[in-house]
Amino acid sequence: MECCCEQVRRDHHRNFGSKGATTEADRLKEIKQLAVRKKNRAVNRVNLGVMKQDRGEPVRKFAGRVRSLAAVNEYAVKCATCKVDVPYMEEVIIDQIIKGLANKEIQTDVLSLNETDVMTLDKLLVFVEGKESGQASQGMMAGGTATGNAADQVKKCGY
């Protein structure tokens, strides 16, 4: 109890009295019950489902944002036969990355691949990075910049 802030100590005393739990594990459960606010998993899953890649954001950075939110959602199902939790988080991450890609041409290219159904997350990221790099290079060859914005393009002499 000495490690808790004053507010948590007061709340613990109000809710559990001076006796409370006798073991450290039980005491930690009581403190967790007071101090941790649970967020409904459905809220996080909905937020994950609407994530989109920002314009100019590299796919690895977008994948990191998706992965961090997916990690708290506990994507796993219990096997009916062996009763072991079977995770499916990587599949959810892959699906959301494909769905949230900012560039629709790259999204079309990914969806048109035959091996998309069996593609690993790393292979997907390498493929999309290659496409993003190719588009940036193409924009630079056309006389623009990697972003392709008209304001960023080099002005040419009219004479």
Side-chain angles (χ1 to χ4, degrees), residues 31 33 37 50 78 100 152-153:
I31 292 171
Q33 190 177 17
R37 290 187 182 148
V50 295
K78 193 171 288 295
D152 294 336
Q153 291 182 359

Side-chain angles (χ1 to χ4, degrees), residues 99-128:
K99 178 184 172 197
L101 287 172
N103 188 310
K104 297 306 172 193
E105 286 181 37
I106 294 175
Q107 187 181 52
T108 301
D109 290 344
V110 170
L111 292 172
S112 65
L113 289 173
N114 289 335
E115 63 267 7
T116 300
D117 294 341
V118 295
M119 188 178 279
T120 65
L121 178 59
D122 195 47
K123 285 183 180 179
L124 172 68
L125 294 178
V126 168
F127 179 80
V128 174

Side-chain angles (χ1 to χ4, degrees), residues 28-93:
L28 285 173
K29 284 180 187 175
E30 291 173 353
I31 292 171
K32 186 176 178 181
Q33 190 177 17
L34 295 170
V36 177
R37 290 187 182 148
K38 290 189 177 182
K39 192 173 185 182
N40 192 322
R41 197 178 320 159
V43 173
N44 286 335
R45 288 185 176 186
V46 168
N47 288 339
L48 178 68
V50 295
M51 285 183 84
K52 300 249 185 251
Q53 181 183 22
D54 297 328
R55 288 272 175 213
E57 179 183 30
V59 72
R60 290 243 180 224
K61 186 174 179 185
F62 174 55
R65 289 191 303 123
V66 170
R67 185 181 289 123
S68 66
L69 191 53
V72 298
N73 287 328
E74 301 172 18
Y75 285 104
V77 292
K78 193 171 288 295
C79 176
T81 308
C82 62
K83 307 295 185 211
V84 174
D85 283 342
V86 179
Y88 62 98
M89 184 172 72
E90 185 166 318
E91 289 82 3
V92 171
I93 293 170

